Amino acid sequence: MNTQRLALLSQRMSVITLLLIVGMLALNAAVWLFPVLSSSTDGLGFGFALSDRLILGRADQVALFPLWQTLGAIVLSSIPLLALGCGLNHLRKLFQRYARGEYFSSAAASHLGKVGKAVAIWVLLDFLCEPLLSMWVTMNEPVGQRLISLSVTAPSFVALFLAACIAVIARILWQASEVDSENRTFV
């Protein structure tokens, strides 16, 4: 692939990444405002991570939430997604650097490292926000039907492994940028 095509592909990936950030936050809000979109038994399957786990099986109840409770659920479920969105934004900036031909820059390595860190923080915040969100969703239920849930899922372990891999690759890229910088000073 020639440099011009790679630059164009990187620009496109930057735009797609931005659309992904906006789309996941909008989809998260949409499944709380319109729970029929979620992947419950009669839903359309558009649930997203933490929201999907807590709407599953109670879409009819969620549809009856007062506005303040729905907005609170949107905020609580968006906290982990904002961390992921921050990481995706660094990925977008990395693609923008690649589009400018900055393959071995320390800034590119820094952006990649921040992607890995953000993915790890996303997993941690997802784990921490689930009990809060489950209490929030069931707070109006009668005593004995209120719920505090906590989940450790296989995708969380995969995401943590990928975050670690990204962090190692970022460190390698940073080292490569240092070597490239040293080589340029000799020439």
Side-chain angles (χ1 to χ4, degrees):
M1 182 176 290
N2 66 27
T3 308
Q4 189 175 13
R5 285 188 64 201
L6 189 57
L8 182 60
L9 179 62
S10 295
Q11 287 173 339
R12 287 180 181 160
M13 288 303 294
S14 174
V15 171
I16 290 169
T17 305
L18 180 61
L19 294 174
L20 179 63
I21 295 167
V22 172
M24 76 175 179
L25 291 170
L27 179 60
N28 184 60
V31 297
W32 286 105
L33 294 169
F34 309 103
V36 71
L37 295 174
S38 184
S39 65
S40 60
T41 55
D42 59 337
L44 299 175
F46 290 118
F48 192 80
L50 182 57
S51 297
D52 188 44
R53 288 195 306 267
L54 288 165
I55 293 174
L56 187 63
R58 64 169 61 92
D60 294 337
Q61 295 167 342
V62 171
L64 300 175
F65 280 177
L67 183 60
W68 62 268
Q69 191 174 12
T70 301
L71 293 176
I74 291 170
V75 169
L76 283 171
S77 62
S78 293
I79 292 170
L81 296 180
L82 289 172
L84 180 60
C86 181
L88 289 172
N89 190 46
H90 281 286
L91 184 63
R92 185 180 69 82
K93 290 177 182 180
L94 177 64
F95 282 127
Q96 289 172 338
R97 289 200 174 272
Y98 286 164
R100 292 190 299 265
E102 298 176 26
Y103 305 115
F104 292 110
S105 68
S106 59
S110 175
H111 286 306
L112 188 58
K114 289 176 182 176
V115 170
K117 183 185 284 187
V119 170
I121 292 171
W122 165 57
V123 171
L124 176 65
L125 287 174
D126 192 67
F127 181 76
L128 295 175
C129 287
E130 183 172 356
L132 297 172
L133 186 57
S134 64
M135 288 188 318
W136 185 265
V137 167
T138 61
M139 75 170 121
N140 290 331
E141 297 293 323
V143 175
Q145 292 183 6
R146 294 180 188 145
L147 176 70
I148 296 177
S149 69
L150 190 62
S151 299
V152 179
T153 63
S156 297
F157 288 112
V158 171
L160 287 175
F161 176 74
L162 288 175
C165 291
I166 290 169
V168 169
I169 293 168
R171 183 69 180 144
I172 292 168
L173 182 59
W174 183 83
Q175 187 67 39
S177 73
E178 291 295 312
V179 170
D180 184 58
S181 178
E182 287 175 12
N183 289 341
R184 288 177 189 229
T185 59
F186 288 124
V187 173

